[in-house]
Amino acid sequence: MNGQSDQPFTVRANGEIDLDTAPALRRALAAALESHREVVLDLSEVTFMDCAGLGTLVQARNQADRSGGRLVLRGAGRRVVRLLKLTGLHRRLAVEPWPSNPDRRSLTVEP
């Protein structure tokens, strides 16, 4: 974990996370996980997620595990939470509510 910051970093996704947009999110999460021990993925503005989005979350979680880091999903809406529960990924991914003072270091991923 040499060179990784101890400060959490937030990646904000919005709109749809699907086959078309998942690669940009995958790159953003990979870069964030290389330089930060904890990465928070803000899903509060996500309106849709398909299997490509789920695959991106699993890949990011695996990368975090390999590097001793942590991926946290926050602000997931009802639809995304339902998808995570239907697939059983809610047991593998850290899904948390927003804290009262979210970190200001962030990157927004636009589709």
Side-chain angles (χ1 to χ4, degrees), residues 6-23:
D6 287 332
Q7 291 287 11
F9 186 83
T10 301
V11 174
R12 289 186 175 86
N14 59 45
E16 299 181 353
I17 303 175
D18 56 19
L19 188 60
D20 188 45
T21 61

Side-chain angles (χ1 to χ4, degrees), residues 7 11-12 19 22 29 33-34 45 50 53-54 56 58 65-66 68 72 76-77 89-90 94 98 104 107:
Q7 291 287 11
V11 174
R12 289 186 175 86
L19 188 60
L29 289 170
L33 285 163
E34 285 178 14
E45 298 295 320
D50 69 5
L54 291 175
T56 296
V58 170
D65 287 350
R66 284 190 306 272
V72 179
L89 287 173
H90 69 290
W98 271 110
R104 295 182 190 261
L107 167 70

Side-chain angles (χ1 to χ4, degrees), residues 29 41 43 49 53-65 70-74 76 80-81 83-85 87-96:
L29 289 170
L41 177 56
L43 296 171
M49 184 182 296
L54 291 175
T56 296
L57 299 181
V58 170
Q59 283 183 331
R61 169 62 197 268
N62 290 342
Q63 180 182 349
D65 287 350
R70 183 167 187 244
L71 175 67
V72 179
L73 309 182
R74 288 201 181 127
V80 173
V81 170
L83 182 60
L84 294 172
K85 286 183 178 179
T87 59
L89 287 173
H90 69 290
R91 290 186 293 265
R92 175 129 165 71
L93 300 168
V95 182
E96 299 178 357

